[in-house]
Amino acid sequence: MQQGFTTIEIMMLRNVITFTVVLLTFLVMWFNKKITVNSIKSVLYMLLVGLICFHVSSFFDLYSLNYISVNLERLIVHLYPSIVCVLLVLKNGRQAVNNNQWIAIFIIYGATVLFVGFETNSIFNWVGVLFAFLAAFFYALYFVLIDSSIKKYGGTQATLFSLPLASLTINAQFWITDGQIDLTLFNSNNIIIF
């Protein structure tokens, strides 16, 4: 962003790379007969969950950087494991999280609230905190919704089915909303960053 790229441009470029890696990994696993598909319904479910959660999470993740520092954004986004625990409690009941995990969650949130309090001093910053938290929430939601697919197909295969559609829709969002990239931004430093 400091180099002049917009949020949607960064999302698009990042997802071109992601889509390429996912496609190559999928093809290697397919030709080595390591992809198993039990039902089209399962694949469609993984595609849909990936589409919603990865697309929305990616957008809020990058958009929050318009308002807050990378350090604060990363701290908030990395709350997603604790959000997974809370969502699992809502889904499966209190037994999904033990007492030690609750203590860890309260310590993590306490430290985060302190850090947020030191860094944020305006509504502008709190909007960024909200966007970063939404990114963490949708990423955590992905893990909760895809849990049964991960158990059935494994984490790699579930990810390979979840990411492609989200990558394509992120690129579609770019072409619909922006549609052009300033090619002068593609200098050697920016290429290395990506």
Side-chain angles (χ1 to χ4, degrees), residues 1 6-8 10-11 14 56-78 119-120 123-136:
M1 290 179 168
T6 65
T7 302
I8 193 65
I10 295 170
M11 282 178 61
R14 186 169 77 171
V56 173
S57 177
S58 181
F59 178 78
F60 283 130
D61 182 18
L62 289 169
Y63 202 69
S64 68
L65 294 173
N66 291 311
Y67 301 93
I68 57 176
S69 71
V70 166
N71 293 332
L72 180 56
E73 180 267 344
R74 288 286 93 191
L75 179 68
I76 295 168
V77 168
H78 282 98
E119 183 161 324
T120 58
I123 296 297
F124 186 73
N125 295 65
W126 283 103
V127 168
V129 168
L130 175 63
F131 286 150
F133 185 80
L134 287 171

Side-chain angles (χ1 to χ4, degrees), residues 107-176:
I107 290 171
I108 290 167
Y109 278 92
T112 303
V113 166
L114 286 174
F115 190 82
V116 168
F118 285 120
E119 183 161 324
T120 58
N121 54 9
S122 71
I123 296 297
F124 186 73
N125 295 65
W126 283 103
V127 168
V129 168
L130 175 63
F131 286 150
F133 185 80
L134 287 171
F137 174 80
F138 278 98
Y139 193 57
L141 184 62
Y142 165 77
F143 283 105
V144 172
L145 294 176
I146 208 79
D147 182 53
S148 60
S149 298
I150 289 173
K151 289 175 182 169
K152 190 174 189 178
Y153 296 107
T156 302
Q157 196 168 323
T159 303
L160 290 176
F161 283 120
S162 300
L163 273 175
L165 192 56
S167 294
L168 291 175
T169 59
I170 287 168
N171 290 334
Q173 179 183 352
F174 165 75
W175 291 110
I176 291 167

